[in-house]
Amino acid sequence: MKNSDIKYNQIIEMVHEGIWLIDREFRIVQANTNIARMLGYTEKEITGMSVLDFLDEKGRALLEKKSKNFNKSAARQQECILFHEDGYTVRVNLIVSPIFKDSGTCD
């Protein structure tokens, strides 16, 4: 693992917010401890799951809308509901933002 990757992972774990990185199919490719714990899972368990399984209708609509224009869009935020493994809801401020490559395209 490169030094920059190690620093990046340390930052992801240091913040108090829940953070997950998703691919174009809405699968969680990386999650920090906070988001996993917030939803009743470990980081290992939540990795590979579909983020759509956790989102309420507003959150799904935001994500699906933003994903159509990821290469053109800036961050957008909206309050929505996530669903915990035990069935209760967690109110969050969801921020959807693409991560761009050096080429200017989005992963």
Side-chain angles (χ1 to χ4, degrees):
M1 190 180 291
K2 294 188 298 188
N3 194 25
S4 60
D5 292 338
I6 293 169
K7 287 180 182 179
Y8 171 79
N9 287 330
Q10 288 174 337
I11 292 168
I12 294 292
E13 285 302 322
M14 287 177 14
V15 298
H16 295 286
E17 289 80 11
I19 297 175
W20 52 25
L21 302 176
I22 62 172
D23 63 17
R24 289 197 174 269
E25 285 77 41
F26 306 118
R27 296 272 170 219
I28 300 167
V29 295
Q30 184 178 359
N32 72 353
T33 303
N34 290 332
I35 190 68
R37 188 177 310 136
M38 191 183 310
L39 298 173
Y41 294 89
T42 65
E43 294 164 75
K44 187 175 181 178
E45 290 171 327
I46 203 170
T47 300
M49 296 176 76
S50 174
V51 73
L52 298 176
D53 294 337
F54 299 101
L55 293 170
D56 70 347
E57 189 174 311
K58 285 171 61 175
R60 282 188 195 122
L62 172 64
L63 184 60
E64 289 170 350
K65 179 180 179 182
K66 292 296 283 185
S67 70
K68 292 177 184 173
N69 296 309
F70 263 165
N71 288 332
K72 302 174 190 169
S73 57
R76 177 156 178 212
Q77 68 181 39
Q78 178 173 323
E79 188 174 287
C80 71
I81 303 293
L82 298 179
F83 298 102
H84 187 277
E85 179 187 29
D86 292 337
Y88 64 85
T89 58
V90 180
R91 185 173 300 276
V92 298
N93 188 28
L94 182 68
I95 301 171
V96 178
S97 178
I99 297 175
F100 295 101
K101 297 178 186 177
D102 290 339
S103 64
T105 61
C106 178
D107 274 339

